[in-house]
Amino acid sequence: MPKLIVTEFIRVDGIAEVEKLPSVTWNDEMNRFKEDELADSGAMLLGRTTYEIFAGSWPTETGDFADRFNALPKYVASTSLKALDWKPAELLKGPLPEAVRTLKQGSGGNIYVHGSLSVAQELLRHGLVDRVRLLSYPGTVGQGKPLFPIGEPVTLDLISAKPFSNGVVALEYAPMTAKS
């Protein structure tokens, strides 16, 4: 059965807004982390905003990574979108938790949630996240949208931690509330 994996860029203070990340030079270690995620991916689950951002840039990217990323099935959680141009893609129907439970019963590979903070938060609330994979950037700002919902504790079991030479740390956790 596929696992649902949330993958985020995050600061050490828990803020996951990409535009608020400190400046860090992308390096080969980060590239390998993302390559490994892509090799493990069977599909993407995206919120409307992340889907629109990705659909506005990824289809024009070239190379092996882009070709594989673009070819992944995409499931989009949106009540406002009516059509999806970045294929293969499908709008989820019904309440998000039920739609994701159905996806997790499928036979495809692991499902990765990229960005899509409100989607990730709702799935964490419902115990549907099997893994949280983070690239934790050094630095804090103290304001912005957090990955983990404020006032809703999430207990995490550390699976792995790997510091990179640029100060970023790759972290993988299993939420203790996951109901696979």
Side-chain angles (χ1 to χ4, degrees), residues 41-102:
S41 294
M44 285 186 257
L45 171 57
L46 306 168
R48 180 194 51 82
T49 302
T50 302
Y51 172 81
E52 288 177 332
I53 291 168
F54 282 12
S57 62
W58 276 104
T60 60
E61 295 293 322
T62 58
D64 180 58
F65 186 95
D67 292 346
R68 292 182 289 141
F69 196 75
N70 283 317
L72 282 173
K74 297 151 215 37
Y75 299 100
V76 182
S78 173
T79 55
S80 60
L81 289 176
K82 302 301 178 217
L84 303 172
D85 296 327
W86 185 33
K87 306 285 184 191
E90 177 183 325
L91 281 167
L92 292 177
K93 296 186 180 14
L96 182 61
E98 286 78 16
V100 169
R101 282 185 191 96
T102 300

Side-chain angles (χ1 to χ4, degrees), residues 33-42 65 68 72 110 112:
F33 180 87
K34 286 301 184 185
E35 284 280 349
D36 290 347
E37 281 188 344
L38 182 58
D40 185 54
S41 294
F65 186 95
R68 292 182 289 141
L72 282 173
N110 291 331
Y112 275 78

Side-chain angles (χ1 to χ4, degrees), residues 8 14 45 51 87-88 103 130-131 140 151 156 159 161 164 180:
E8 301 286 347
L45 171 57
Y51 172 81
K87 306 285 184 191
L103 284 177
D130 298 294
R131 293 286 186 271
T140 66
L156 302 170
I159 303 296
F164 295 157
S180 301

Side-chain angles (χ1 to χ4, degrees), residues 14 117-118 120-125 145-154:
L117 294 176
S118 59
Q121 289 177 348
E122 185 170 352
L123 297 175
L124 282 163
R125 267 187 218 103
K145 190 166 184 182
L147 168 58
F148 300 103
I150 304 275
E152 298 178 35
V154 177

